[in-house]
Amino acid sequence: MTETRGAEHIPQWKMDEVAELKDLVKNYSIFGVVSFESISADQLQKMRRSIKDSAVLKVTRNTLNEKALKESDGNVPDMVQYIEGQTALIFTNDNPFKLYKMLAQTKTPAPIKAGAIAPFDITVNKGPTGFPPGPMLSEFQGAGIPTAVEGGKIAIKETKVVCKAGEKVSQKLATALSKLEIFPMEVGLILRAVYEDGTVYLPEVLHVDEAEMFNKFVTAAQEAFNLSVNAAIPTKENIEVLIQKAHTEAVNLGVEAVIFEPEVMDKLIGKANAEATSVAKASKFEL
């Protein structure tokens, strides 16, 4: 069966694809628009398998993605603006933060292509390569990598930055780096936006440094504990410390006021002995 709209005929498979996407939008609590630029078909399949227990990744034509979103309810059509280039939709019942973290974990090292911009200083480290002498020697040297023959193998003579951050990578260097298994790039499913119950979340909102956040909670808890102790506000967390502090202050007060109590006597005698010894020394007498 084919839908006819004027002279336009929409194949059944396209209608089925749009219907499936609309059902996914309706049946999952959140969905995201992701980019899979520069990802090979094999890598995409591996990533799909790695997330299959938590999410459904749907790859189809952008026009069908757009049609499905535009025909959905609420603010879903707003997500159309994030569809461009190689785009997929991902559906899950996890929260947006978990989705962002899950997709970040799909990133894997990848070779850098000729003409690409170095994301950081690319360094080749000194040491053996395992390649026998031959054409590879001149290839490495042509790429600006200092090499020599040591022990019958090609070796990198010195650690060197072969391309600085922001510079273009030449064809020769890209080939040499790939052969040395130096992969400066990362490829993965890049989240562009997430939709949940009428709200659109962008990646910068969802990126949370968990270690930093944990340290902030620890610091806040320590500061709150110290404040409650100093302000003498009793809680179940600080009551033992408050009692110990009160006991110490009471004993010190008893010593300073010379109050004869069992818990104070040892300290009073020790204090009296120390003062007597000090006086004797000052008077050049011995007790």
Side-chain angles (χ1 to χ4, degrees):
M1 182 178 178
T2 304
E3 178 180 312
T4 303
R5 190 174 296 167
E8 180 185 3
H9 298 281
I10 302 177
Q12 183 64 43
W13 72 267
K14 289 186 177 181
M15 296 168 56
D16 293 342
E17 194 84 351
V18 170
E20 181 184 357
L21 289 170
K22 290 167 67 176
D23 285 341
L24 289 169
V25 169
K26 185 183 299 183
N27 294 329
Y28 281 87
S29 59
I30 72 171
F31 76 93
V33 176
V34 300
S35 166
F36 59 97
E37 301 282 349
S38 304
I39 299 177
S40 67
D42 287 344
Q43 288 174 315
L44 186 60
Q45 288 304 317
K46 288 179 182 177
M47 292 173 188
R48 192 196 297 269
R49 287 194 295 269
S50 72
I51 63 174
K52 65 182 180 63
D53 293 335
S54 302
V56 173
L57 182 67
K58 186 68 179 173
V59 179
T60 189
R61 295 182 181 181
N62 284 355
T63 52
L64 301 183
N65 285 329
E66 291 173 0
K67 181 175 176 61
L69 297 185
K70 287 178 179 177
E71 293 179 0
S72 296
D73 297 331
N75 298 327
V76 171
D78 293 343
M79 294 289 284
V80 170
Q81 62 184 303
Y82 302 106
I83 297 177
E84 60 178 346
Q86 291 181 290
T87 299
L89 298 183
I90 189 166
F91 304 86
T92 182
N93 288 320
D94 287 338
N95 65 58
F97 294 93
K98 284 187 176 180
L99 176 61
Y100 178 89
K101 183 179 179 180
M102 177 175 63
L103 294 182
Q105 292 171 343
T106 67
K107 293 182 180 179
T108 57
I112 193 165
K113 295 180 180 179
I117 303 299
F120 48 78
D121 289 353
I122 301 175
T123 302
V124 176
N125 293 318
K126 178 180 179 180
T129 67
F131 291 104
M136 286 297 300
L137 188 64
S138 59
E139 285 187 31
F140 288 149
Q141 291 174 344
I145 301 173
T147 54
V149 178
E150 296 178 2
K153 300 289 184 180
I154 297 175
I156 311 299
K157 292 195 297 184
E158 61 181 271
T159 297
K160 181 182 178 182
V161 175
V162 292
C163 188
K164 292 184 177 180
E167 293 180 347
K168 280 189 178 181
V169 176
S170 68
Q171 179 65 62
K172 289 182 178 180
L173 181 57
T175 301
L177 291 173
S178 180
K179 290 182 177 179
L180 289 170
E181 296 186 352
I182 296 175
F183 304 137
M185 303 298 289
E186 278 191 331
V187 296
L189 299 171
I190 309 301
L191 191 63
R192 292 181 182 153
V194 179
Y195 179 92
E196 181 184 37
D197 193 25
T199 301
V200 177
Y201 298 93
L202 298 182
E204 51 267 30
V205 175
L206 302 175
H207 175 68
V208 176
D209 187 325
E210 293 183 6
E212 180 184 1
M213 186 65 66
F214 177 78
N215 290 334
K216 285 182 177 179
F217 273 113
V218 170
T219 300
Q222 290 172 340
E223 292 176 349
F225 181 84
N226 294 338
L227 177 61
S228 67
V229 170
N230 292 330
I233 301 173
T235 68
K236 65 178 182 179
E237 288 81 11
N238 70 9
I239 192 64
E240 289 186 10
V241 174
L242 284 175
I243 292 172
Q244 291 169 359
K245 183 171 181 274
H247 178 266
T248 300
E249 290 175 350
V251 170
N252 292 338
L253 177 60
V255 172
E256 292 299 321
V258 193
I259 299 173
F260 298 107
E261 288 290 337
E263 291 187 56
V264 181
M265 289 305 298
D266 286 346
K267 293 184 179 296
L268 284 175
I269 292 171
K271 181 183 178 186
N273 183 65
E275 290 175 349
T277 301
S278 177
V279 170
K281 285 182 179 180
S283 304
K284 298 182 180 180
F285 291 113
E286 287 189 8
L287 293 179

